[in-house]
Amino acid sequence: MIRNPWRHNEPLDRAELARLLPAPADPRLAADRQDLLEEYLMSEIHQSDHATAGAAAASPARGPLRRAVLFATPVAAAAALAVVVSVGGSPGADTVAAPELVKAPVVQIEEGSTVQLASTVREIAAAATARTTPQPGPGQFIYIKSRVSFMTTRHNVDTEESTTWVQPLHDREVWKSPDGTKGWLDEPGYQDKGGITLDNKEPRKQSTYKWLAAQPADPDALLKSVYATVSGDRDHDQQAFNEIGSVIREQLVPAALAASLYEAAGRIPGVVVVEHAQDASDRDGIALARLDPRTGERSEWIFDRETHQYLGSRGVQVREFGGVKPGTVVERTSIVTRAIVDAKNQRPGAGQATV
């Protein structure tokens, strides 16, 4: 939120808060954005604890809370929090300021089609089945390094104008135990230096390797299981598509199951093929995509045109929504490395299995 300098220290009254905050009935975040939100909130708690501990050691007095306020469109709320929310005392020595936001890229919108959907899904599934997927052993971790950029929207309460920005492309590294109870996130510029813990005694089971490995490699059974996780008034088909997308983006999926997941996704109403889509590393590929009927954002899973290996994802605004113009790229990711490592914070080296 941008406010006039002379109003900076004025508290927001209830009427202004009601005007700025989303309505209580606003639909919940998609599963993948919810996972990001949870990780970022853990980051904020971690930073707050560090700041509080440092302040207590120096003096019993505590300064006022710092809170940078910014309101994002629902489709990017999790990512927006990663950029601008800061709650705590004075920043500790390890706290890193978030990089400046940049203008969101704009692309020409290519129409999706179902003409090649069945054949494309078959090719992607066949390629997944043919790959050898390493299996994490006791005490090991799934390591995923990616390049990412997510959107946020700044709203000026005085002029009622909104501006769409994105994070600069940056590295994101995640370590996850097979059962999801232990983990680590290192996203330089968005957490404390060195990263934050993702340890969780009660992880969301559908996003864990252990749960995935126990699922039957049957597209119909998987699709039924995916739909069982969705709820609310938001389009259930879109939620199911996002649920599968969150799994393939930042998890290790056994080969046979990956093939079945792609086949299941191809059976979701509204899924199309986009012939040309670029990931965050500017690699051009073919995409399985679906348009969210509420937000007008098309989520795209991008695959190599020759090997049909998953490259990354892209979110493109197809229909204007919340001031975001058609063609705006609201999200970009690309997979750099997937591997099995022996410990949190360890990066893959010679002799370690990669995917």
Side-chain angles (χ1 to χ4, degrees), residues 186-202:
D186 188 7
E187 196 168 357
Y190 297 93
Q191 289 89 32
D192 290 348
K193 185 177 180 180
I196 61 163
T197 182
L198 296 180
D199 290 359
N200 187 350
K201 292 182 180 180
E202 297 181 0

Side-chain angles (χ1 to χ4, degrees), residues 48-61:
S48 179
D49 289 345
H50 272 292
T52 303
S59 168

Side-chain angles (χ1 to χ4, degrees), residues 209-227:
Y209 176 87
K210 182 178 179 180
W211 185 86
L212 288 169
Q215 300 310 300
D218 174 77
D220 291 328
L222 280 172
L223 197 57
K224 183 177 180 180
S225 178
V226 168
Y227 273 97

Side-chain angles (χ1 to χ4, degrees), residues 174-193:
V174 173
W175 290 259
K176 295 180 178 181
S177 64
D179 64 0
T181 60
K182 299 182 184 301
W184 193 262
L185 168 65
D186 188 7
E187 196 168 357
Y190 297 93
Q191 289 89 32
D192 290 348
K193 185 177 180 180

Side-chain angles (χ1 to χ4, degrees), residues 290-309:
R290 192 178 193 281
L291 176 67
D292 187 324
R294 188 184 68 86
T295 67
E297 177 189 342
R298 187 171 69 193
S299 299
E300 303 171 348
W301 309 341
I302 306 169
F303 298 85
D304 184 273
R305 200 174 301 281
E306 300 298 327
T307 67
H308 295 99
Q309 182 171 354

